[in-house]
Amino acid sequence: FASAGGYYLYLFAMDRLGVSTSSLFINLIPVVTLLFGVFVMGDPISWGQLGGGALIITSVIAVARDK
């Protein structure tokens, strides 16, 4: 269910920002899913998940800064 929300936000962004800009943000879908699981479903979070989320967010910021 949480992944569907991430894809919905991606499609919304693609409609508003265009394909080339929003294609970068599809990488954030696992982060959205993780946050949904933690805050809505009460799932535990591991250090590996935190590290992976940080790497994803850092890479998206770095690539977006280059555009």
Side-chain angles (χ1 to χ4, degrees):
F1 180 74
S3 293
Y7 279 107
Y8 175 76
L9 291 175
Y10 170 69
L11 292 174
F12 180 77
M14 195 167 45
D15 184 46
R16 301 288 173 142
L17 302 173
V19 176
S20 63
T21 303
S22 61
S23 65
L24 171 66
F25 295 100
I26 196 165
N27 297 310
L28 292 174
I29 289 176
V31 175
V32 171
T33 303
L34 175 67
L35 293 176
F36 181 86
V38 170
F39 291 114
V40 176
M41 305 293 289
D43 292 341
I45 189 167
S46 70
W47 287 106
Q49 291 170 323
L50 283 174
L55 285 172
I56 291 171
I57 292 170
T58 303
S59 65
V60 167
I61 290 171
V63 173
R65 193 176 285 172
D66 288 343
K67 283 190 170 189

